[in-house]
Amino acid sequence: MSIITGRGDSGETDLLFGKRAAKSGSRVGALGAVDELNAALGLARASGLAEEVEEIVDRIQEKLVGLMGQLACLPEDAGRYDEKGYAKVLEEDVKYLEGKAHEFEERGIKFTGWARPGVEHSVARAGLDVARAVARRAERRVWQLHEEGEEVPESVRLYFNRLSDLLWILARADAPK
Protein backbone atom coordinates (compact mmCIF):
# COMPACT_ATOMS: atom_id res chain seq x y z
CA MET A 1 0.00 0.00 0.00
CA SER A 2 1.33 3.42 -0.93
CA ILE A 3 1.76 6.15 1.67
CA ILE A 4 -0.03 8.38 -0.86
CA THR A 5 -3.75 7.73 -0.47
CA GLY A 6 -5.31 11.09 -1.26
CA ARG A 7 -7.62 10.64 1.75
CA GLY A 8 -6.35 13.88 3.25
CA ASP A 9 -6.94 15.99 0.18
CA SER A 10 -10.23 17.29 1.56
CA GLY A 11 -8.67 18.66 4.76
CA GLU A 12 -9.42 15.68 7.01
CA THR A 13 -7.20 12.88 8.28
CA ASP A 14 -7.75 9.43 9.72
CA LEU A 15 -7.89 8.73 13.41
CA LEU A 16 -8.20 5.36 15.09
CA PHE A 17 -11.22 3.11 14.62
CA GLY A 18 -12.18 4.59 11.26
CA LYS A 19 -12.83 8.08 12.58
CA ARG A 20 -11.79 11.26 10.77
CA ALA A 21 -10.88 14.74 11.98
CA ALA A 22 -10.17 18.11 10.41
CA LYS A 23 -6.48 18.72 9.84
CA SER A 24 -6.99 22.22 11.23
CA GLY A 25 -8.56 20.92 14.46
CA SER A 26 -7.01 20.87 17.91
CA ARG A 27 -6.70 17.07 18.04
CA VAL A 28 -4.68 16.91 14.83
CA GLY A 29 -2.68 19.95 15.98
CA ALA A 30 -1.75 18.10 19.17
CA LEU A 31 -0.85 14.99 17.19
CA GLY A 32 1.32 17.05 14.87
CA ALA A 33 3.14 18.68 17.77
CA VAL A 34 3.91 15.28 19.30
CA ASP A 35 5.15 14.05 15.92
CA GLU A 36 7.41 17.12 15.64
CA LEU A 37 8.70 16.43 19.16
CA ASN A 38 9.56 12.85 18.26
CA ALA A 39 11.42 14.08 15.16
CA ALA A 40 13.30 16.73 17.18
CA LEU A 41 14.34 14.07 19.69
CA GLY A 42 15.49 11.89 16.80
CA LEU A 43 17.68 14.69 15.49
CA ALA A 44 19.21 15.28 18.93
CA ARG A 45 19.75 11.55 19.28
CA ALA A 46 21.46 11.30 15.88
CA SER A 47 23.74 14.20 16.87
CA GLY A 48 25.66 12.10 19.37
CA LEU A 49 24.10 12.06 22.82
CA ALA A 50 25.88 10.47 25.74
CA GLU A 51 24.81 6.83 26.09
CA GLU A 52 22.86 7.42 29.31
CA VAL A 53 20.94 10.33 27.77
CA GLU A 54 20.30 8.38 24.57
CA GLU A 55 18.70 5.58 26.60
CA ILE A 56 16.38 8.11 28.24
CA VAL A 57 15.51 9.66 24.87
CA ASP A 58 14.81 6.21 23.43
CA ARG A 59 12.33 5.49 26.21
CA ILE A 60 10.69 8.88 25.70
CA GLN A 61 10.36 8.32 21.94
CA GLU A 62 8.76 4.94 22.56
CA LYS A 63 6.24 6.61 24.89
CA LEU A 64 5.50 9.34 22.36
CA VAL A 65 4.49 6.79 19.74
CA GLY A 66 1.98 5.32 22.21
CA LEU A 67 0.85 8.77 23.22
CA MET A 68 0.08 9.61 19.60
CA GLY A 69 -2.19 6.57 19.58
CA GLN A 70 -3.94 7.87 22.69
CA LEU A 71 -4.48 11.25 21.07
CA ALA A 72 -5.65 9.66 17.79
CA CYS A 73 -8.49 7.99 19.68
CA LEU A 74 -11.69 9.98 20.17
CA PRO A 75 -13.13 9.92 23.71
CA GLU A 76 -16.09 7.76 22.62
CA ASP A 77 -13.61 5.08 21.48
CA ALA A 78 -11.50 5.06 24.66
CA GLY A 79 -13.03 1.76 25.76
CA ARG A 80 -12.08 0.15 22.47
CA TYR A 81 -8.56 1.54 22.81
CA ASP A 82 -8.25 0.03 26.28
CA GLU A 83 -9.67 -3.33 25.13
CA LYS A 84 -6.98 -3.53 22.46
CA GLY A 85 -4.30 -2.99 25.11
CA TYR A 86 -2.65 -0.18 23.17
CA ALA A 87 0.15 1.82 24.82
CA LYS A 88 -0.79 4.73 27.05
CA VAL A 89 1.00 7.37 29.06
CA LEU A 90 0.27 6.70 32.71
CA GLU A 91 1.11 8.30 36.04
CA GLU A 92 4.13 5.98 36.32
CA ASP A 93 5.52 7.54 33.14
CA VAL A 94 5.24 11.01 34.67
CA LYS A 95 7.03 9.70 37.76
CA TYR A 96 9.80 8.25 35.59
CA LEU A 97 10.46 11.71 34.10
CA GLU A 98 10.40 13.30 37.56
CA GLY A 99 12.79 10.66 38.88
CA LYS A 100 15.26 11.17 36.04
CA ALA A 101 15.09 14.96 36.48
CA HIS A 102 15.79 14.65 40.21
CA GLU A 103 18.61 12.20 39.52
CA PHE A 104 20.38 14.73 37.28
CA GLU A 105 19.63 17.60 39.66
CA GLU A 106 21.36 15.64 42.42
CA ARG A 107 24.45 15.63 40.19
CA GLY A 108 24.49 19.42 40.34
CA ILE A 109 22.35 20.45 37.35
CA LYS A 110 20.21 23.34 38.61
CA PHE A 111 18.34 26.22 37.04
CA THR A 112 20.56 29.29 37.35
CA GLY A 113 19.02 31.40 34.62
CA TRP A 114 17.84 31.24 31.06
CA ALA A 115 19.88 29.09 28.75
CA ARG A 116 21.31 30.16 25.42
CA PRO A 117 20.93 27.06 23.24
CA GLY A 118 23.97 26.34 21.12
CA VAL A 119 26.41 28.41 23.17
CA GLU A 120 28.40 25.23 23.93
CA HIS A 121 28.72 24.49 20.18
CA SER A 122 27.15 21.10 20.77
CA VAL A 123 24.59 20.03 18.17
CA ALA A 124 23.31 17.35 20.56
CA ARG A 125 22.69 19.82 23.38
CA ALA A 126 21.10 22.36 21.03
CA GLY A 127 18.95 19.53 19.65
CA LEU A 128 17.71 18.74 23.14
CA ASP A 129 16.83 22.42 23.58
CA VAL A 130 14.87 22.36 20.31
CA ALA A 131 13.07 19.24 21.55
CA ARG A 132 12.31 21.04 24.84
CA ALA A 133 10.73 23.96 22.99
CA VAL A 134 8.68 21.58 20.84
CA ALA A 135 7.61 19.70 24.00
CA ARG A 136 6.27 23.00 25.34
CA ARG A 137 4.33 23.50 22.10
CA ALA A 138 2.92 19.98 22.37
CA GLU A 139 1.92 20.73 25.96
CA ARG A 140 0.07 23.87 24.87
CA ARG A 141 -1.72 21.99 22.08
CA VAL A 142 -2.76 19.19 24.45
CA TRP A 143 -4.08 21.73 26.96
CA GLN A 144 -5.95 23.52 24.18
CA LEU A 145 -7.61 20.25 23.20
CA HIS A 146 -8.51 19.57 26.82
CA GLU A 147 -9.85 23.07 27.44
CA GLU A 148 -12.05 22.80 24.34
CA GLY A 149 -13.89 19.95 26.05
CA GLU A 150 -11.99 16.95 24.65
CA GLU A 151 -10.96 15.01 27.73
CA VAL A 152 -7.19 14.48 27.81
CA PRO A 153 -6.02 12.33 30.73
CA GLU A 154 -4.16 14.17 33.45
CA SER A 155 -1.16 11.87 33.00
CA VAL A 156 -0.82 13.05 29.39
CA ARG A 157 -1.14 16.72 30.34
CA LEU A 158 1.48 16.37 33.09
CA TYR A 159 3.81 14.27 30.94
CA PHE A 160 4.67 17.17 28.65
CA ASN A 161 5.33 19.55 31.51
CA ARG A 162 7.73 17.12 33.16
CA LEU A 163 9.26 16.18 29.81
CA SER A 164 10.18 19.74 28.89
CA ASP A 165 11.78 20.20 32.32
CA LEU A 166 13.78 17.00 31.91
CA LEU A 167 14.89 17.99 28.42
CA TRP A 168 16.14 21.33 29.77
CA ILE A 169 18.18 19.43 32.36
CA LEU A 170 19.50 16.89 29.83
CA ALA A 171 20.62 19.68 27.50
CA ARG A 172 22.73 21.07 30.35
CA ALA A 173 24.03 17.61 31.37
CA ASP A 174 24.79 15.85 28.13
CA ALA A 175 28.33 15.47 26.97
CA PRO A 176 28.81 14.18 23.44
CA LYS A 177 29.99 10.60 22.91
Side-chain angles (χ1 to χ4, degrees):
M1 179 176 167
S2 175
I3 190 77
I4 301 170
T5 64
R7 290 182 47 78
D9 292 352
S10 64
E12 289 190 334
T13 192
D14 290 324
L15 299 176
L16 289 177
F17 306 113
K19 302 294 172 63
R20 307 236 339 129
K23 289 183 176 186
S24 61
S26 295
R27 181 170 300 280
V28 176
L31 281 163
V34 176
D35 190 27
E36 290 173 32
L37 172 57
N38 200 9
L41 285 168
L43 184 60
R45 186 177 183 176
S47 298
L49 298 174
E51 186 176 337
E52 178 184 22
V53 174
E54 185 170 350
E55 289 172 7
I56 295 167
V57 168
D58 182 63
R59 182 166 172 171
I60 291 166
Q61 286 184 294
E62 184 177 339
K63 272 298 158 188
L64 291 178
V65 171
L67 194 144
M68 287 178 68
Q70 255 180 296
L71 291 173
C73 180
L74 294 176
E76 63 262 25
D77 292 320
R80 291 176 72 187
Y81 189 87
D82 291 341
E83 287 171 12
K84 296 272 188 189
Y86 292 145
K88 296 174 86 169
V89 168
L90 304 169
E91 183 180 341
E92 66 194 46
D93 300 309
V94 175
K95 297 225 178 284
Y96 168 80
L97 297 177
E98 289 174 352
K100 286 297 176 186
H102 292 316
E103 188 180 305
F104 279 88
E105 285 176 326
E106 288 170 6
R107 297 180 195 178
I109 309 275
K110 301 281 185 200
F111 180 76
T112 58
W114 294 108
R116 290 178 37 226
V119 74
E120 308 91 353
H121 302 282
S122 165
V123 175
R125 286 179 174 186
L128 289 168
D129 274 318
V130 169
R132 172 191 48 79
V134 177
R136 288 285 185 211
R137 178 172 49 239
E139 178 185 18
R140 290 189 302 271
R141 296 305 297 261
V142 163
W143 271 102
Q144 179 183 2
L145 179 65
H146 182 72
E147 289 170 355
E148 289 175 357
E150 300 266 359
E151 179 63 32
V152 177
E154 182 180 43
S155 58
V156 172
R157 297 186 320 255
L158 295 178
Y159 189 82
F160 289 107
N161 190 277
R162 300 307 183 276
L163 177 56
S164 57
D165 291 341
L166 176 59
L167 291 173
W168 185 91
I169 290 169
L170 294 179
R172 313 285 79 70
D174 181 61
K177 290 181 185 174

mmCIF file of all heavy atoms in Angstrom, residues 16-17 65-71 73 77-88:
data_model
loop_
_atom_site.group_PDB
_atom_site.id
_atom_site.type_symbol
_atom_site.label_atom_id
_atom_site.label_comp_id
_atom_site.label_asym_id
_atom_site.label_seq_id
_atom_site.Cartn_x
_atom_site.Cartn_y
_atom_site.Cartn_z
ATOM 1 N N LEU A 16 -7.978 6.771 14.820
ATOM 2 C CA LEU A 16 -8.196 5.355 15.090
ATOM 3 C C LEU A 16 -9.665 4.982 14.939
ATOM 4 O O LEU A 16 -10.558 5.828 15.056
ATOM 5 C CB LEU A 16 -7.732 5.011 16.510
ATOM 6 C CG LEU A 16 -6.224 5.013 16.727
ATOM 7 C CD1 LEU A 16 -5.898 4.743 18.186
ATOM 8 C CD2 LEU A 16 -5.534 3.994 15.835
ATOM 9 N N PHE A 17 -9.881 3.706 14.690
ATOM 10 C CA PHE A 17 -11.216 3.109 14.620
ATOM 11 C C PHE A 17 -12.088 3.728 13.525
ATOM 12 O O PHE A 17 -13.292 3.890 13.686
ATOM 13 C CB PHE A 17 -11.907 3.151 15.988
ATOM 14 C CG PHE A 17 -11.067 2.536 17.082
ATOM 15 C CD1 PHE A 17 -10.553 3.310 18.106
ATOM 16 C CD2 PHE A 17 -10.768 1.183 17.070
ATOM 17 C CE1 PHE A 17 -9.770 2.758 19.110
ATOM 18 C CE2 PHE A 17 -9.975 0.620 18.063
ATOM 19 C CZ PHE A 17 -9.479 1.401 19.087
ATOM 20 N N VAL A 65 5.226 7.543 20.761
ATOM 21 C CA VAL A 65 4.488 6.787 19.744
ATOM 22 C C VAL A 65 3.168 6.295 20.336
ATOM 23 O O VAL A 65 2.103 6.434 19.717
ATOM 24 C CB VAL A 65 5.339 5.626 19.195
ATOM 25 C CG1 VAL A 65 4.516 4.707 18.308
ATOM 26 C CG2 VAL A 65 6.538 6.173 18.422
ATOM 27 N N GLY A 66 3.214 5.751 21.540
ATOM 28 C CA GLY A 66 1.984 5.321 22.212
ATOM 29 C C GLY A 66 1.061 6.476 22.514
ATOM 30 O O GLY A 66 -0.163 6.385 22.371
ATOM 31 N N LEU A 67 1.646 7.594 22.906
ATOM 32 C CA LEU A 67 0.848 8.774 23.222
ATOM 33 C C LEU A 67 0.118 9.294 21.985
ATOM 34 O O LEU A 67 -1.025 9.741 22.077
ATOM 35 C CB LEU A 67 1.769 9.854 23.792
ATOM 36 C CG LEU A 67 1.061 10.999 24.469
ATOM 37 C CD1 LEU A 67 1.863 11.462 25.659
ATOM 38 C CD2 LEU A 67 0.840 12.144 23.535
ATOM 39 N N MET A 68 0.758 9.185 20.826
ATOM 40 C CA MET A 68 0.081 9.605 19.597
ATOM 41 C C MET A 68 -1.142 8.726 19.350
ATOM 42 O O MET A 68 -2.173 9.208 18.880
ATOM 43 C CB MET A 68 1.044 9.563 18.414
ATOM 44 C CG MET A 68 2.053 10.699 18.455
ATOM 45 S SD MET A 68 3.242 10.657 17.111
ATOM 46 C CE MET A 68 2.164 11.015 15.728
ATOM 47 N N GLY A 69 -1.037 7.448 19.685
ATOM 48 C CA GLY A 69 -2.195 6.573 19.583
ATOM 49 C C GLY A 69 -3.309 7.022 20.510
ATOM 50 O O GLY A 69 -4.477 7.061 20.125
ATOM 51 N N GLN A 70 -2.955 7.370 21.730
ATOM 52 C CA GLN A 70 -3.942 7.872 22.686
ATOM 53 C C GLN A 70 -4.657 9.100 22.135
ATOM 54 O O GLN A 70 -5.880 9.207 22.213
ATOM 55 C CB GLN A 70 -3.244 8.262 23.996
ATOM 56 C CG GLN A 70 -3.446 7.308 25.138
ATOM 57 C CD GLN A 70 -2.706 7.790 26.375
ATOM 58 O OE1 GLN A 70 -1.484 7.880 26.383
ATOM 59 N NE2 GLN A 70 -3.445 8.074 27.424
ATOM 60 N N LEU A 71 -3.888 10.026 21.582
ATOM 61 C CA LEU A 71 -4.481 11.253 21.067
ATOM 62 C C LEU A 71 -5.272 11.018 19.784
ATOM 63 O O LEU A 71 -6.177 11.789 19.467
ATOM 64 C CB LEU A 71 -3.392 12.306 20.824
ATOM 65 C CG LEU A 71 -2.736 12.883 22.070
ATOM 66 C CD1 LEU A 71 -1.568 13.785 21.683
ATOM 67 C CD2 LEU A 71 -3.736 13.634 22.928
ATOM 68 N N CYS A 73 -7.263 8.693 19.302
ATOM 69 C CA CYS A 73 -8.487 7.991 19.682
ATOM 70 C C CYS A 73 -9.482 8.999 20.263
ATOM 71 O O CYS A 73 -9.179 9.692 21.238
ATOM 72 C CB CYS A 73 -8.147 6.925 20.721
ATOM 73 S SG CYS A 73 -9.565 5.978 21.271
ATOM 74 N N ASP A 77 -14.255 6.354 21.812
ATOM 75 C CA ASP A 77 -13.612 5.082 21.479
ATOM 76 C C ASP A 77 -12.578 4.658 22.517
ATOM 77 O O ASP A 77 -11.841 3.686 22.305
ATOM 78 C CB ASP A 77 -12.944 5.174 20.103
ATOM 79 C CG ASP A 77 -13.957 5.305 18.985
ATOM 80 O OD1 ASP A 77 -14.998 4.624 19.047
ATOM 81 O OD2 ASP A 77 -13.702 6.095 18.048
ATOM 82 N N ALA A 78 -12.512 5.358 23.633
ATOM 83 C CA ALA A 78 -11.505 5.059 24.658
ATOM 84 C C ALA A 78 -11.621 3.623 25.161
ATOM 85 O O ALA A 78 -10.609 2.960 25.389
ATOM 86 C CB ALA A 78 -11.614 6.042 25.815
ATOM 87 N N GLY A 79 -12.833 3.141 25.317
ATOM 88 C CA GLY A 79 -13.027 1.762 25.765
ATOM 89 C C GLY A 79 -12.438 0.768 24.778
ATOM 90 O O GLY A 79 -11.801 -0.218 25.173
ATOM 91 N N ARG A 80 -12.646 1.016 23.508
ATOM 92 C CA ARG A 80 -12.076 0.148 22.475
ATOM 93 C C ARG A 80 -10.549 0.196 22.512
ATOM 94 O O ARG A 80 -9.876 -0.826 22.339
ATOM 95 C CB ARG A 80 -12.565 0.569 21.091
ATOM 96 C CG ARG A 80 -14.038 0.293 20.852
ATOM 97 C CD ARG A 80 -14.494 0.818 19.508
ATOM 98 N NE ARG A 80 -13.952 -0.006 18.415
ATOM 99 C CZ ARG A 80 -14.086 0.299 17.131
ATOM 100 N NH1 ARG A 80 -14.737 1.404 16.779
ATOM 101 N NH2 ARG A 80 -13.588 -0.478 16.200
ATOM 102 N N TYR A 81 -10.016 1.376 22.727
ATOM 103 C CA TYR A 81 -8.562 1.543 22.809
ATOM 104 C C TYR A 81 -8.021 0.701 23.962
ATOM 105 O O TYR A 81 -7.028 -0.012 23.809
ATOM 106 C CB TYR A 81 -8.232 3.025 22.997
ATOM 107 C CG TYR A 81 -6.760 3.353 22.878
ATOM 108 C CD1 TYR A 81 -6.203 3.631 21.633
ATOM 109 C CD2 TYR A 81 -5.934 3.384 23.991
ATOM 110 C CE1 TYR A 81 -4.857 3.940 21.497
ATOM 111 C CE2 TYR A 81 -4.586 3.690 23.868
ATOM 112 C CZ TYR A 81 -4.052 3.968 22.625
ATOM 113 O OH TYR A 81 -2.724 4.248 22.506
ATOM 114 N N ASP A 82 -8.686 0.796 25.102
ATOM 115 C CA ASP A 82 -8.255 0.029 26.279
ATOM 116 C C ASP A 82 -8.377 -1.472 26.043
ATOM 117 O O ASP A 82 -7.490 -2.240 26.434
ATOM 118 C CB ASP A 82 -9.068 0.436 27.508
ATOM 119 C CG ASP A 82 -8.756 1.852 27.970
ATOM 120 O OD1 ASP A 82 -7.695 2.397 27.595
ATOM 121 O OD2 ASP A 82 -9.582 2.424 28.714
ATOM 122 N N GLU A 83 -9.467 -1.899 25.411
ATOM 123 C CA GLU A 83 -9.671 -3.330 25.133
ATOM 124 C C GLU A 83 -8.554 -3.901 24.264
ATOM 125 O O GLU A 83 -8.171 -5.060 24.424
ATOM 126 C CB GLU A 83 -11.010 -3.548 24.427
ATOM 127 C CG GLU A 83 -12.218 -3.382 25.314
ATOM 128 C CD GLU A 83 -13.522 -3.384 24.531
ATOM 129 O OE1 GLU A 83 -13.521 -3.732 23.323
ATOM 130 O OE2 GLU A 83 -14.554 -3.030 25.133
ATOM 131 N N LYS A 84 -8.051 -3.088 23.354
ATOM 132 C CA LYS A 84 -6.980 -3.533 22.456
ATOM 133 C C LYS A 84 -5.633 -3.606 23.179
ATOM 134 O O LYS A 84 -4.684 -4.193 22.680
ATOM 135 C CB LYS A 84 -6.848 -2.586 21.262
ATOM 136 C CG LYS A 84 -8.063 -2.551 20.372
ATOM 137 C CD LYS A 84 -7.966 -3.615 19.331
ATOM 138 C CE LYS A 84 -9.096 -3.454 18.324
ATOM 139 N NZ LYS A 84 -9.162 -4.587 17.427
ATOM 140 N N GLY A 85 -5.548 -2.985 24.348
ATOM 141 C CA GLY A 85 -4.304 -2.995 25.110
ATOM 142 C C GLY A 85 -3.212 -2.116 24.527
ATOM 143 O O GLY A 85 -2.023 -2.351 24.741
ATOM 144 N N TYR A 86 -3.620 -1.082 23.773
ATOM 145 C CA TYR A 86 -2.647 -0.177 23.169
ATOM 146 C C TYR A 86 -1.901 0.616 24.248
ATOM 147 O O TYR A 86 -2.407 0.842 25.344
ATOM 148 C CB TYR A 86 -3.329 0.788 22.209
ATOM 149 C CG TYR A 86 -3.902 0.157 20.961
ATOM 150 C CD1 TYR A 86 -5.074 0.630 20.401
ATOM 151 C CD2 TYR A 86 -3.271 -0.914 20.323
ATOM 152 C CE1 TYR A 86 -5.612 0.069 19.243
ATOM 153 C CE2 TYR A 86 -3.787 -1.482 19.168
ATOM 154 C CZ TYR A 86 -4.957 -0.987 18.635
ATOM 155 O OH TYR A 86 -5.467 -1.544 17.497
ATOM 156 N N ALA A 87 -0.714 1.077 23.896
ATOM 157 C CA ALA A 87 0.146 1.821 24.822
ATOM 158 C C ALA A 87 -0.516 3.127 25.253
ATOM 159 O O ALA A 87 -1.208 3.769 24.465
ATOM 160 C CB ALA A 87 1.487 2.114 24.158
ATOM 161 N N LYS A 88 -0.272 3.491 26.495
ATOM 162 C CA LYS A 88 -0.794 4.730 27.052
ATOM 163 C C LYS A 88 0.264 5.370 27.936
ATOM 164 O O LYS A 88 1.118 4.679 28.483
ATOM 165 C CB LYS A 88 -2.030 4.445 27.914
ATOM 166 C CG LYS A 88 -3.210 3.892 27.160
ATOM 167 C CD LYS A 88 -4.310 3.501 28.110
ATOM 168 C CE LYS A 88 -5.164 4.691 28.410
ATOM 169 N NZ LYS A 88 -6.388 4.347 29.123
#
